């Protein structure tokens, strides 16, 4: 739950953010309440083009980026809205009062901060789509009094909204899984960015899939061979391989296999 800002949150600034559409919209039309560049983050910030949204996502830490990659990979997650604002100020005040505390206020502008949660998700469960909230924290911070207070305000806020809410820490996911997804993530848009002729891409993919069905070969050797055969730039077939993995046309169990230069064709679970 963030309430960070580089400049005072005046009524004018709040109104401008609302007019800009921050915190509203779905898919490619969503705009986060906080964007990279709005303030200085303690950690590293990231701008990443999303698979599901086809827009640029804004992340304020490596931890946020890692969770985002896992959400991109999850088929049940159909929309990811980061830096999502808690705009119902009256509800925030009521929740804080019930807890015997107050909402954070900008000391200079004397206005309530607009807290944000890390992710508002649209998740498919069976035949239905639900909103679900994920808030991200380092496990070492959970016992801090001020962190616990903010998290409890957030939990109660979304309880009142009848929206599922949970915390995720670095202990809740595999770094190998994240690293594997990150390795192939940028290749997802390969068809849009690097191949102007879709038929050429399709034919190259068919040929590569066929070659990868042979057992006990090193994937890099196969892609190097295809570069020569199709007169492609060196490394282009390897990018094709990453594209096929990212689009789940080649299935590799990321939880069991570390994708590296020495990955073998025997590590491929299925080719679709």
């Amino acid at each position: 739950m963030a309430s960070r800002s580089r400049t005072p949150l005046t009524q004018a600034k709040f109104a401008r953010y609302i007019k800009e559409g921050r915190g509203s919209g779905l898919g490619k039309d969503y705009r986060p309440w906080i964007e990279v560049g709005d303030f200085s983050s303690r950690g590293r910030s990231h701008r990443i083009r999303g698979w599901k949204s086809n827009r640029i996502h804004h992340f304020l830490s490596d931890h946020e980026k890692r969770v985002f990659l896992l959400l991109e990979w999850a088929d049940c997650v159909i929309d990811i809205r980061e830096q999502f604002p808690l705009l119902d100020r009256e509800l925030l005040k009521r929740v804080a009062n019930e807890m015997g505390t107050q909402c954070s206020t900008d000391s200079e502008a004397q206005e309530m901060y607009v807290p944000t949660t890390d992710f508002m998700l649209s998740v498919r469960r069976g035949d239905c789509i639900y909103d679900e909230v994920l808030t991200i924290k380092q496990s070492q911070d959970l016992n801090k009094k001020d962190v616990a207070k903010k998290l409890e305000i957030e939990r109660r806020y979304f309880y009142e909204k009848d929206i599922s809410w949970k915390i995720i820490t670095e202990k809740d996911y595999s770094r190998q899984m994240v690293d594997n997804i990150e390795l192939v993530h940028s290749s997802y848009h390969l068809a849009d960015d690097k191949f102007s002729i879709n038929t050429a891409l399709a034919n190259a993919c068919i040929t590569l899939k066929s070659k990868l069905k042979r057992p006990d070969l090193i994937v890099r050797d196969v892609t190097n061979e295809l570069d020569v055969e199709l007169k492609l730039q060196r490394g282009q077939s390897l990018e094709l391989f990453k594209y096929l993995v990212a689009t789940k046309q080649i299935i590799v169990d990321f939880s069991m296999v570390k994708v590296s230069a020495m990955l073998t064709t025997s590590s491929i679970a299925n080719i679709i």
Side-chain angles (χ1 to χ4, degrees):
M1 182 176 182
S3 56
R4 298 160 286 191
S5 180
R6 186 172 56 189
T7 56
L9 181 65
T10 61
Q11 281 290 347
K13 182 176 180 181
F14 179 84
R16 175 168 61 84
Y17 274 25
I18 295 296
K19 186 176 181 180
E20 290 174 353
R22 296 206 188 196
S24 65
L26 294 170
K28 64 180 179 61
D29 297 321
Y30 175 75
R31 185 172 180 184
W33 186 259
I34 299 172
E35 296 179 342
V36 171
D38 285 345
F39 67 93
S40 297
S41 173
R42 289 183 180 179
R44 295 191 300 168
S45 58
H46 305 271
R47 294 180 177 92
I48 303 176
R49 182 181 176 188
W51 292 354
K52 303 172 190 289
S53 66
N54 199 28
R55 67 172 175 83
I56 300 301
H57 291 258
H58 294 252
F59 305 111
L60 310 177
S61 69
D62 289 341
H63 195 12
E64 288 182 7
K65 180 194 73 172
R66 292 176 191 132
V67 173
F68 168 73
L69 292 171
L70 292 167
L71 295 171
E72 285 271 77
W73 193 253
D75 293 331
C76 64
V77 177
I78 61 176
D79 192 33
I80 303 168
R81 302 183 294 285
E82 76 280 12
Q83 322 305 339
F84 188 85
L86 284 62
L87 292 176
D88 190 337
R89 290 177 155 188
E90 293 306 312
L91 176 56
L92 282 170
K93 289 178 183 177
R94 176 162 64 81
V95 167
N97 287 337
E98 289 172 355
M99 292 173 56
T101 186
Q102 294 181 331
C103 297
S104 298
T105 303
D106 186 296
S107 58
E108 185 174 342
Q110 293 300 306
E111 293 286 346
M112 277 179 57
Y113 280 118
V114 175
T116 59
T117 194
D118 296 296
F119 293 106
M120 173 67 79
L121 310 174
S122 295
V123 182
R124 188 182 302 279
R125 305 289 185 195
D127 295 330
C128 299
I129 296 174
Y130 300 94
D131 284 338
E132 298 183 9
V133 171
L134 276 186
T135 191
I136 299 169
K137 280 290 176 283
Q138 294 290 335
S139 56
Q140 64 188 21
D141 294 335
L142 293 179
N143 292 326
K144 294 180 179 178
K145 187 175 180 180
D146 60 333
V147 171
K149 183 187 80 170
K150 291 176 181 178
L151 289 175
E152 181 60 13
I153 290 175
E154 183 177 329
R155 185 193 70 80
R156 294 190 186 196
Y157 178 94
F158 285 111
Y159 177 82
E160 292 291 333
K161 297 286 185 181
D162 197 26
I163 296 174
S164 172
W165 176 92
K166 72 176 183 178
I167 302 170
I168 186 169
T169 77
E170 75 285 355
K171 295 181 178 180
D172 295 319
Y173 58 81
S174 160
R175 280 297 298 273
Q176 175 176 285
M177 183 85 174
V178 171
D179 292 344
N180 283 338
I181 299 169
E182 185 169 18
L183 183 68
V184 304
H185 190 271
S186 62
S187 299
Y188 183 91
H189 295 286
L190 191 66
D192 301 328
D193 298 338
K194 295 184 179 179
F195 283 82
S196 58
I197 304 175
N198 287 334
T199 54
L201 171 62
N203 290 335
C205 287
I206 291 170
T207 303
L208 179 56
K209 287 179 183 180
S210 177
K211 290 180 178 294
L212 290 171
K213 290 179 180 178
R214 293 176 291 173
D216 301 321
L217 298 178
I218 296 175
V219 170
R220 186 179 290 274
D221 290 343
V222 175
T223 58
N224 287 343
E225 175 187 293
L226 188 61
D227 283 341
V228 174
E229 181 179 324
L230 298 182
K231 298 180 180 179
L232 300 174
Q233 294 181 4
R234 184 172 178 83
Q236 203 162 25
S237 294
L238 183 59
E239 282 297 307
L240 270 181
F241 172 75
K242 293 178 183 178
Y243 162 78
L244 292 170
V245 173
T247 55
K248 299 184 180 179
Q249 298 179 60
I250 291 177
I251 309 301
V252 178
D253 187 346
F254 279 175
S255 65
M256 299 296 293
V257 177
K258 180 175 177 58
V259 179
S260 69
M262 299 307 293
L263 183 72
T264 68
T265 54
S266 299
S267 299
I268 297 173
N270 195 16
I271 298 177
I272 299 172

